[in-house]
């Protein structure tokens, strides 16, 4: 095979890698845009460790479970939140991720999923222990930030 014949093959290889990278990057971007558009609209307090944080985590997890699989949420929770180990904020996030994934996996529609997550947050509480209730930390731990 000549050197000139391998050039088009290499070019196709790089194009395929580029397309795969774009596709892999598009899904997280979709999840983030969908999550934050609702996060801002909800106007909840406690962007970090409060109800808004709980909403963001449970909604993002519901979106991922609804559009792909609850297993993806489990994997991300294990990596990003260390499975809920280490501190109260990680435990809260992991708890809300699991509940959001269950809501997303059971939803009949996109709208029903969003409504169920918001309803779950509205019924949430400080330091909720039930696996069926959204939780957040006490107000003295809240921070008004976007993540």
């Amino acid at each position: 095979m000549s050197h000139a014949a391998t050039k088009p093959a290499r070019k196709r290889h790089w194009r395929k890698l580029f397309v795969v990278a774009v596709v892999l990057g598009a899904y997280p971007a979709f999840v983030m845009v969908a999550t934050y558009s609702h996060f801002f609209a909800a106007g909840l307090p406690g962007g970090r460790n409060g109800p808004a944080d709980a909403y963001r985590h449970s909604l993002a997890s519901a979106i991922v479970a609804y559009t792909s699989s609850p297993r993806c949420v489990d994997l991300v929770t294990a990596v990003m939140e260390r499975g809920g180990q280490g501190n109260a904020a990680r435990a809260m996030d992991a708890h809300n991720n699991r509940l959001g994934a269950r809501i997303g996996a059971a939803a009949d529609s996109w709208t029903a999923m969003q409504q169920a997550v918001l309803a779950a947050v509205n019924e949430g509480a400080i330091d909720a222990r039930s696996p069926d209730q959204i939780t957040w930390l006490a107000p003295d731990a809240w921070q008004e930030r976007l993540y």
Side-chain angles (χ1 to χ4, degrees), residues 49-51 54 92 96 121 123-128 134-138 142:
N49 299 328
M92 177 196 83
N96 293 330
V121 171
E123 295 170 10
I126 296 168
D127 296 328
I134 295 290
T135 189
W136 52 81
L137 303 183
W142 298 359

Side-chain angles (χ1 to χ4, degrees), residues 91-109:
M92 177 196 83
D93 292 345
H95 174 97
N96 293 330
N97 287 356
R98 286 189 290 273
L99 183 51
R102 285 201 325 265
I103 291 169
D108 293 332
S109 71

Side-chain angles (χ1 to χ4, degrees), residues 3 12 15-16 25 46 49-50 52 58 60 75 103 108 127 130 135 139:
H3 177 68
R12 281 191 302 268
R15 272 193 222 140
K16 287 179 185 177
N49 299 328
S58 56
L75 177 63
I103 291 169
D108 293 332
D127 296 328
S130 169
T135 189

Side-chain angles (χ1 to χ4, degrees), residues 2-86:
S2 74
H3 177 68
T6 61
K7 250 185 175 177
R10 283 186 189 161
K11 209 173 201 180
R12 281 191 302 268
H13 175 74
W14 285 109
R15 272 193 222 140
K16 287 179 185 177
L17 286 176
F18 177 75
V19 169
V20 168
V22 167
V23 169
L24 290 175
Y27 183 71
F30 155 73
V31 172
M32 295 297 287
V33 168
T35 299
Y36 274 95
S37 65
H38 288 85
F39 171 85
F40 289 123
L44 294 166
R48 180 79 174 141
N49 299 328
D53 192 19
Y55 181 55
R56 184 171 46 82
H57 275 267
S58 56
L59 181 61
S61 296
I63 290 169
V64 170
Y66 181 79
T67 58
S68 64
S69 168
R71 287 182 160 185
C72 293
V73 176
D74 293 341
L75 177 63
V76 170
T77 300
V79 172
M80 300 295 291
E81 305 301 344
R82 298 182 187 153
Q85 302 299 312

